[in-house]
């Protein structure tokens, strides 16, 4: 019986060591993020699209050319281009909304996600969104 408990104790210890070495990246809500390509192998536009459709959760409210619960990507791109404004600064919470300020309260929850992103990720989101014409 002692041998069994020693085996169980050592086995548990080894499994915990193995698990501790594998840190899965998670989004702001705690969901695991699947890694496809590394950002070094992607263009900013491709990375932005991946983030937009994935961990950024942007595609939940924004579609390319149809306004749903949020304005379309085309409308966002057009307005930010016309006003020479920065989408990435807005996503980092550093500027006020300019597309549809009445929807800002809804957008605040997602800004908590984008505020945790790296500059590269936010700029990639902007590159993708500005590419949708």
């Amino acid at each position: 019986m002692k041998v069994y408990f020693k085996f169980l104790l050592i086995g548990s210890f080894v499994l915990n060591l193995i698990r501790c070495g594998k840190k899965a990246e998670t989004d702001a809500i705690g969901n695991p993020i699947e890694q496809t390509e590394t950002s070094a192998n992607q263009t900013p536009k491709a990375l932005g699209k991946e983030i937009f459709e994935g961990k950024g959760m942007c595609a939940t409210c924004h579609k390319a050319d149809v306004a749903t619960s949020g304005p379309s990507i085309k409308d966002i791109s057009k307005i930010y281009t016309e006003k020479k404004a920065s989408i990435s600064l807005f996503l980092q919470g550093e500027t006020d909304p300019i597309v549809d300020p009445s929807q800002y309260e809804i957008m605040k929850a997602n800004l908590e996600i984008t505020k945790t992103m790296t500059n590269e990720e936010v700029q990639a989101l902007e590159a993708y969104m500005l590419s949708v014409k």
Side-chain angles (χ1 to χ4, degrees), residues 32-53:
I33 298 169
E34 292 183 29
Q35 297 295 324
T36 52
E37 289 185 60
T38 62
S39 60
N41 297 335
Q42 293 179 297
T43 64
K45 181 178 151 184
L47 176 60
K49 182 176 183 182
E50 181 181 308
I51 294 168
F52 188 92
E53 294 172 348

Side-chain angles (χ1 to χ4, degrees), residues 2 21 31 44-45 49 57 60 86 96 102 108 111 124 130:
K2 287 183 181 181
N31 299 319
K45 181 178 151 184
K49 182 176 183 182
M57 299 175 57
T60 306
S86 171
D96 292 329
S102 68
K108 274 186 180 179
L111 287 178
L130 291 175

